Amino acid sequence: MPTDRVLFFSEPFPDAPVARLAAFGEAVVGTEGVRGADFAALAPRIEALMTVVADKIDPARLASLPRLRVVANIAVGYDNIDLAACASRGVIVTNTADAPAEATADLTLALLLDVARRVSESDRYLRAGRWVGWTPTLMLGTCVHRMTLGIVGLGRIGRGVARRARGFGMQVLYTQRNPLSAAEERELGVSYRSLDALLPACDAVSLHVPLTPETSGLMNAARFASMKKGAFFVNTTRGKTVDEAALVASLASGHLGGAGLDVFVDEPQVPAPLLAMENVVLCPHIGSADRATRGQMAARAIENVVRVMRGEPPLDAVSLPV
């Protein structure tokens, strides 16, 4: 193997088959992603880079990686990577599109159930010693089986959410750029609406779109205002798809009934008003935080790298050299 070639795996992942990389050079697992001293010292020798969502790969970072051939992002989204800059430098970019879908769909339903039935709020209430006995009005919530759920973006995760929602007896509406065929809609049990028609028709809305220039701030003040009074909002995609100030204002006014949020605009910072709201359930970007899922994501990224190092097409290319 070339002893001067480094294949850099950004951060430790459970059950990651990093040993597969040793056939192609020195496999190094970082501790602080591309922000750490270990990365900086090895950058001139790195030919393959396996990144996480916190790793920003921009022109300045690429300039420090003269031998880079592939960036394998261990995520569905790749908004942390400048695709045009990579393509112009002859760098392949891949993602792990399939692996996180089921785990993230699970979390989406968990957030909706939690905020609608006030589970986390009840837990805090009990632990604080405030419970003095059963009453018929204590912690009244909303049953999800009576809801109409709107899914914005019916990709792998959105479809997983739709299947779960149908299992709860929910009516499911969806919107995306290209509607499904009638047969696909029947199979999933979903009905298409435009975004602006979907929002006022739903008791809960779940966001599942990639972060692009078109989707940045997609959920803004006007769209939150168009939702039903008392509706719930769930976001497990990217924080910047939402106008966070508009979301806070809609929750504070009482127009929205609550929110379940796994992602934020300026992670790991969370707006102070959200932290203070009882009707908001907050998670620290754990959509794919299932041990088996994280292992599958790591294995998929490594497989993409192995194929590139062998001179073969990767499984999950999102950007190829120009």
Side-chain angles (χ1 to χ4, degrees), residues 150-216:
I151 299 176
V152 182
L154 204 67
R156 295 172 180 86
I157 296 170
R159 291 179 187 224
V161 173
R163 290 192 297 270
R164 287 160 175 76
R166 294 293 296 169
F168 277 92
M170 301 172 74
Q171 179 183 357
V172 181
L173 306 180
Y174 79 98
T175 191
Q176 61 181 14
R177 181 177 299 174
N178 299 309
L180 302 178
S181 69
E184 289 176 307
E185 288 187 349
R186 285 194 299 272
E187 182 181 355
L188 276 174
V190 300
S191 299
Y192 174 81
R193 300 286 190 279
S194 69
L195 177 59
D196 291 331
L198 176 144
L199 294 174
C202 294
D203 303 298
V205 171
S206 187
L207 200 54
H208 301 284
V209 294
L211 178 60
T212 67
E214 292 73 30
T215 62
S216 180

Side-chain angles (χ1 to χ4, degrees), residues 24-216:
F24 305 96
E26 182 184 356
V28 177
V29 178
T31 56
E32 299 177 278
V34 300
R35 307 169 300 282
D38 47 359
F39 171 83
L42 295 168
R45 297 167 51 207
I46 292 175
E47 293 192 21
L49 181 58
M50 287 140 281
T51 52
V52 297
V53 293
D55 295 325
K56 303 302 180 186
I57 309 300
D58 54 18
R61 187 78 66 194
L62 289 167
S64 72
L65 296 158
R67 295 173 55 175
L68 188 64
R69 295 172 56 190
V70 56
V71 178
N73 208 41
I74 311 172
V76 176
Y78 39 86
D79 47 281
N80 54 312
I81 300 170
D82 187 324
L83 298 185
C86 286
S88 68
R89 295 178 67 96
V91 176
I92 295 169
V93 179
T94 69
N95 69 347
T96 57
D98 292 322
E102 298 303 326
T104 306
D106 276 358
L107 182 69
T108 299
L109 260 293
L111 287 170
L112 178 55
L113 286 162
D114 192 329
V115 69
R117 291 302 310 271
R118 303 174 70 178
V119 176
S120 290
E121 184 183 356
S122 294
D123 179 81
R124 292 189 295 270
Y125 180 89
L126 186 150
R127 291 174 188 272
R130 297 170 60 193
W131 187 34
V132 295
W134 186 91
T135 69
T137 58
L138 179 64
M139 290 292 169
L140 293 178
T142 305
C143 287
V144 299
H145 77 266
R146 298 193 183 109
M147 288 185 180
T148 296
L149 173 66
I151 299 176
V152 182
L154 204 67
R156 295 172 180 86
I157 296 170
R159 291 179 187 224
V161 173
R163 290 192 297 270
R164 287 160 175 76
R166 294 293 296 169
F168 277 92
M170 301 172 74
Q171 179 183 357
V172 181
L173 306 180
Y174 79 98
T175 191
Q176 61 181 14
R177 181 177 299 174
N178 299 309
L180 302 178
S181 69
E184 289 176 307
E185 288 187 349
R186 285 194 299 272
E187 182 181 355
L188 276 174
V190 300
S191 299
Y192 174 81
R193 300 286 190 279
S194 69
L195 177 59
D196 291 331
L198 176 144
L199 294 174
C202 294
D203 303 298
V205 171
S206 187
L207 200 54
H208 301 284
V209 294
L211 178 60
T212 67
E214 292 73 30
T215 62
S216 180

Side-chain angles (χ1 to χ4, degrees), residues 232-273:
F232 300 100
F233 177 71
V234 178
N235 189 12
T236 57
T237 178
R238 289 290 187 268
K240 291 180 181 178
T241 57
V242 173
D243 180 334
E244 217 161 49
L247 173 60
V248 168
S250 189
L251 288 162
S253 72
H255 180 71
L256 286 183
L261 307 171
D262 186 44
V263 289
F264 306 91
V265 168
D266 189 24
E267 296 179 8
Q269 304 303 314
V270 178

Side-chain angles (χ1 to χ4, degrees), residues 282-295:
L282 306 169
C283 291
H285 204 145
I286 61 168
S288 64
D290 160 73
R291 186 180 186 97
T293 298
R294 289 278 169 87

